[in-house]
Amino acid sequence: MRSPIRNEIKIEEERRANKLFIFLFFVSVILYDVYRFIISPLIDPDTTMILLNESKALIPLMIIYAIEFSLIPISRWYSKRQQPFATKYLFFVVFMTTALVTEIFRYIGTDEMYASGSPVELFFVLFSPLFVNKRFYITVVAGITGKYAIMGFLTMSPIVVFPILILLLFSGITFIILNRFQSYLNTIVKSYEQAAHNEKLAFIGRIATGVTHEIKNPLTSLKGFVQLQELEQTYNPKYSKIMLQELERLTIIVNDLMVIGKPQSINLKPISLTNCLEYVVSLLQQEAENKQITIYTNFPEEQVQIMGEDVRLKQVFLNLVKNAMEAMPDGGEIRLKLVNDGDWTTIHIMDRGVGIAEEGIPHLDQAFYTTKENGTGLGLMVSYKIVEDHHGKIDVHSEVNHGTTFSISFPILSHSLDNTVVNLASYQGNKEHTL
Ligand code: ADP
Ligand code: MG
């Protein structure tokens, strides 16, 4: 598991544990007070005196409640600052300090017999495994034992031995629970990490196999032609042409792999999408003509600007228009339409080609997915990655044997069209390139 994710999960779990902990804390504090101030005096009239005595303690009791309730907003504040881990210590330290102070006031300098403290202390011991944190567990056990040791010393009463013994008994039990929790959790985390590691290795394996396969073909044919040239001892321009083509293919593969392999920081600045598209169209013009393909464009009169990186966007459009051309081996039409629509600027690239089967669509953004004999299956993956880096999205609509539309949308920067949506039917009237 990557450590930032692990940290986030830890924080989220701690927040959940905190909620339960705070709830249980107040339930046990309030139940204990209801018991000692209301139920116990009602059942046992002998304790009426104590009740009267305790009523003097009503003001300090209210102050303690006020302090304890004020811990809720404080713990929320810590939680918001990604530090929910402080809450449990906060509650424990405040509770123990107020308990110690009240007990000192109550027993020191009086002849009242020291009676052991509150069951809320047991709550802390019993529920400390909620946090699966040994440090907190030790703090709780040491803190409570320490309080009894101090009170035993101050009041000179050996009676504190009993609560300490009970405490040690309970803490022994919770220690076992805590240990089980921790070892169980460690096992889960370890197996999760192992699985993630294996998945990573499998992914690297898949990439390596794909790359090897892709690179091997052009290399084999290059080697063959070099050997042939050596055998024939002559320069054959036909071979050189094929060799150059194969070298070109290797360059494309390596360039594409660089985009996925190395996360590059992209430098977004306002650029003209119109210029970018026109450049790509002009670049492919000759090739389209050779294949009897006509490219129509329908762009708004005004330049459409987005935040982007020119070179990378050109690469995306080049990939998509090339795919459209490759989808029409017998020629046809490709239409490029640029539309400002609400918060998005969208480029539709439509062809009347072979289309994509429904089961192929989920694989389009995957490396090495190709249905072409000489395809690399990298172009779309790289395009998706670049568009994602531009905070954009790609939608695909396709029908087998009818054609495909790729729609690439980017968050709008400025559009001077006043929300005029360019109508698809207005191809003829608009600025039109027939290439
Ligand atoms: P490549 O072009 O090397 O095959 P891409 O990643 O560019 O790799 O495309 C992956 C696959 O997606 C193609 O092999 C093809 O099957 C399908 N595809 C992409 N664009 C189109 C399109 N316009 N029409 C039909 N199929 C397409
Ligand atoms: Mg392609």
Side-chain angles (χ1 to χ4, degrees):
M1 221 191 295
R2 277 191 302 139
S3 66
I5 295 181
R6 206 163 153 173
N7 222 9
E8 261 170 45
I9 294 175
K10 265 189 172 173
I11 289 179
E12 205 39 54
E13 271 308 304
E14 186 80 7
R15 283 191 182 127
R16 273 190 216 140
N18 276 346
K19 275 186 197 152
L20 187 63
F21 176 77
I22 294 172
F23 171 74
L24 290 171
F25 171 78
F26 281 109
V27 167
S28 56
V29 165
I30 292 168
L31 279 184
Y32 175 53
D33 284 343
V34 167
Y35 171 77
R36 63 175 170 157
F37 293 119
I38 301 169
I39 299 175
S40 170
L42 284 178
I43 298 170
D44 185 359
D46 287 352
T47 54
T48 317
M49 274 308 292
I50 296 176
L51 173 69
L52 287 177
N53 275 345
E54 298 279 6
S55 67
K56 276 191 284 177
L58 210 59
I59 293 171
L61 190 75
M62 288 300 119
I63 293 174
I64 291 172
Y65 265 117
I67 294 173
E68 284 169 354
F69 274 107
S70 72
L71 295 183
I72 297 178
I74 296 175
S75 84
R76 281 234 175 99
W77 182 79
Y78 270 116
S79 182
K80 266 196 193 132
R81 300 190 51 176
Q82 307 291 314
Q83 291 168 332
F85 305 98
T87 297
K88 51 186 181 295
Y89 291 104
L90 198 69
F91 272 83
F92 180 68
V93 169
V94 167
F95 176 80
M96 289 316 290
T97 314
T98 50
L100 187 67
V101 171
T102 22
E103 285 181 18
I104 287 175
F105 273 110
R106 181 162 164 183
Y107 298 108
I108 308 296
T110 67
D111 45 10
E112 196 178 335
M113 271 274 287
Y114 181 67
S116 61
S118 95
V120 182
E121 289 159 358
L122 270 189
F123 153 84
F124 276 109
V125 177
L126 284 179
F127 288 104
S128 61
L130 266 185
F131 295 98
V132 200
N133 180 322
K134 272 205 180 121
R135 192 147 54 123
F136 179 62
Y137 167 82
I138 293 168
T139 311
V140 166
V141 176
I144 301 175
T145 320
K147 188 205 83 173
Y148 283 112
I150 293 173
M151 286 312 292
F153 177 73
L154 291 177
T155 58
M156 287 297 165
S157 59
I159 202 166
V160 291
V161 173
F162 290 109
I164 291 180
L165 282 181
I166 293 177
L167 188 78
L168 290 181
L169 178 74
F170 275 98
S171 56
I173 297 169
T174 45
F175 182 75
I176 294 168
I177 297 173
L178 182 64
N179 250 354
R180 285 308 312 137
F181 265 11
Q182 251 179 348
S183 109
Y184 187 60
L185 262 185
N186 281 345
T187 314
I188 292 177
V189 169
K190 258 192 210 141
S191 54
Y192 190 91
E193 279 173 351
Q194 188 63 44
H197 182 67
N198 289 348
E199 203 174 284
K200 216 182 200 171
L201 284 184
F203 179 72
I204 295 172
R206 272 205 310 279
I207 294 280
T209 316
V211 173
T212 319
H213 176 79
E214 288 307 323
I215 289 181
K216 216 171 157 187
N217 288 343
L219 279 183
T220 314
S221 86
L222 276 172
K223 194 175 161 192
F225 283 111
V226 172
Q227 281 170 341
L228 213 63
Q229 296 235 19
E230 230 171 44
L231 261 179
E232 294 179 359
Q233 293 286 329
T234 49
Y235 170 77
N236 189 333
K238 235 166 82 187
Y239 297 162
S240 303
K241 200 177 163 212
I242 302 174
M243 284 163 76
L244 267 178
Q245 271 171 7
E246 292 299 276
L247 281 173
E248 183 60 27
R249 222 161 93 74
L250 278 175
T251 316
I252 293 174
I253 295 170
V254 170
N255 281 345
D256 282 352
L257 282 171
M258 263 166 62
V259 174
I260 357 171
K262 196 168 62 184
Q264 293 155 345
S265 62
I266 61 163
N267 182 14
L268 300 180
K269 52 180 189 222
I271 55 150
S272 161
L273 206 52
T274 322
N275 280 349
C276 210
L277 286 163
E278 275 170 352
Y279 172 84
V280 170
V281 171
S282 66
L283 205 69
L284 293 172
Q285 183 176 5
Q286 193 56 48
E287 201 180 329
E289 245 171 48
N290 294 346
K291 292 181 169 171
Q292 264 101 54
I293 291 172
T294 318
I295 303 178
Y296 297 97
T297 63
N298 185 338
F299 302 154
E301 291 292 336
E302 293 82 1
Q303 295 279 327
V304 175
Q305 288 206 317
I306 63 159
M307 292 298 287
E309 206 180 297
D310 198 57
V311 181
R312 306 232 186 147
L313 288 176
K314 281 176 184 160
Q315 190 179 354
V316 172
F317 302 133
L318 209 64
N319 282 338
L320 294 175
V321 179
K322 269 196 155 176
N323 277 347
M325 284 165 54
E326 284 158 9
M328 298 187 293
D330 303 324
E333 318 178 327
I334 294 172
R335 295 181 184 271
L336 303 191
K337 189 172 83 150
L338 183 50
V339 186
N340 273 320
D341 186 7
D343 298 332
W344 297 90
T345 291
T346 304
I347 303 103
H348 300 284
I349 300 173
M350 297 169 257
D351 66 60
R352 302 261 173 89
V354 292
I356 306 167
E358 210 176 311
E359 57 270 22
I361 295 204
H363 302 290
L364 293 180
D365 61 348
Q366 291 170 4
F368 310 117
Y369 172 75
T370 180
T371 54
K372 298 168 196 166
E373 208 174 314
N374 285 320
T376 63
L378 290 174
L380 278 184
M381 177 182 185
V382 168
S383 306
Y384 273 87
K385 168 90 176 59
I386 295 174
V387 172
E388 191 183 300
D389 286 346
H390 282 76
H391 314 293
K393 54 185 183 187
I394 299 187
D395 285 321
V396 190
H397 291 282
S398 189
E399 229 178 293
V400 175
N401 294 330
H402 282 89
T404 307
T405 302
F406 274 87
S407 305
I408 312 101
S409 304
F410 299 102
I412 211 154
L413 177 68
S414 70
H415 61 104
S416 40
L417 270 181
D418 294 322
N419 290 333
T420 310
V421 176
V422 180
N423 193 333
L424 182 60
S426 67
Y427 271 113
Q428 308 306 321
N430 248 303
K431 189 171 148 201
E432 187 170 301
H433 295 247
T434 308
L435 300 159

